[in-house]
């Protein structure tokens, strides 16, 4: 026969892991809904060149 104490200990660990995974999913869903993952930390650099292509120096 199977050892009942062993299956009880394993089932508690499985429920703990399932609960931790559910909490992590809820936190990730909240951050996604808040727009946290859409933020960009990059720098945008624009260079404007005159239309005739000539850059005059002083």
């Amino acid at each position: 026969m199977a050892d009942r104490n062993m299956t009880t200990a394993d089932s508690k660990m499985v429920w703990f892991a399932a609960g931790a995974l559910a909490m992590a999913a809820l936190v990730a869903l909240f951050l996604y809904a808040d727009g946290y993952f859409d933020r960009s930390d990059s720098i945008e650099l624009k260079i404007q060149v005159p239309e005739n292509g000539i850059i005059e120096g002083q």
Side-chain angles (χ1 to χ4, degrees), residues 14-50:
V14 169
W15 280 111
F16 176 77
L21 184 62
M23 291 302 292
L26 286 174
V27 169
L29 182 63
F30 173 76
L31 290 174
Y32 177 76
D34 193 37
Y36 180 78
F37 298 113
D38 293 335
R39 297 180 185 154
S40 175
D41 293 336
S42 63
I43 298 173
E44 186 175 329
L45 180 64
K46 292 183 180 179
I47 299 174
Q48 295 180 352
V49 180

